[in-house]
């Protein structure tokens, strides 16, 4: 929510279910969150599928798959968590841009 609010591209960002009717809904699906130790350095891979829905028109506005990876600083749980946090932050920025750019209801 914070990434969406910081874009300034929306009047309001609310969680669902809520009492406020929404014009646009974002559905996300986590496809992969993996810490891969096969390569050196190890890597965290994150794949997310996003679908932007026009709620009132009951139609899909846009669909996008985000796939990013980040090297871990160390080959342990802590290294994986810090790499996951970095890759997630970048992906949230991309997701917010996607929502702003695709949310214009025609």
């Amino acid at each position: 929510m914070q990434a969406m609010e910081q874009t300034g591209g929306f009047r309001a960002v609310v969680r669902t279910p809520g009492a406020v009717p929404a014009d646009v809904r974002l559905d996300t699906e986590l496809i992969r969150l993996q810490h891969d130790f096969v390569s050196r350095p190890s890597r965290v891979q994150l794949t997310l599928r996003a679908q932007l829905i026009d709620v009132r028109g009951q139609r899909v506005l846009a669909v996008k798959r985000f796939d990013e990876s980040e090297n871990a600083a160390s080959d342990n749980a802590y290294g994986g968590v810090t790499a996951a946090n970095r890759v997630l932050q970048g992906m949230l920025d991309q997701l917010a841009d996607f929502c702003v750019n695709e949310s214009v209801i025609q």
Side-chain angles (χ1 to χ4, degrees), residues 14-15 32 61 65 89 91:
V14 296
R15 290 189 177 154
R32 175 177 57 183
L61 294 173
R65 181 180 171 128
Q89 184 58 54
M91 192 172 285

Side-chain angles (χ1 to χ4, degrees), residues 2-102:
Q2 186 178 14
M4 299 300 166
E5 290 170 338
Q6 289 175 344
T7 66
F10 302 98
R11 286 189 305 261
V13 178
V14 296
R15 290 189 177 154
T16 59
V20 178
D23 296 325
V24 179
R25 182 181 78 228
L26 174 64
D27 293 337
T28 58
E29 176 184 5
L30 178 61
I31 295 172
R32 175 177 57 183
L33 175 56
Q34 178 179 356
H35 189 175
D36 180 7
F37 292 96
V38 174
S39 63
R40 292 289 184 248
S42 63
R43 294 182 65 74
V44 170
Q45 299 169 314
L46 177 62
T47 304
L48 181 78
R49 181 179 181 271
Q51 185 171 317
L52 204 57
I53 309 292
D54 171 2
V55 175
R56 294 174 194 231
Q58 298 180 342
R59 65 187 174 101
V60 175
L61 294 173
V63 176
K64 185 169 182 177
R65 181 180 171 128
F66 298 88
D67 191 16
E68 298 291 330
S69 61
E70 179 79 27
N71 287 341
S74 58
D75 292 334
N76 56 28
Y78 181 76
V81 168
T82 56
N85 285 338
R86 286 191 309 270
V87 77
L88 180 59
Q89 184 58 54
M91 192 172 285
L92 287 175
D93 292 341
Q94 292 176 40
L95 182 61
D97 289 342
F98 164 75
C99 290
V100 169
N101 294 332
E102 301 295 337

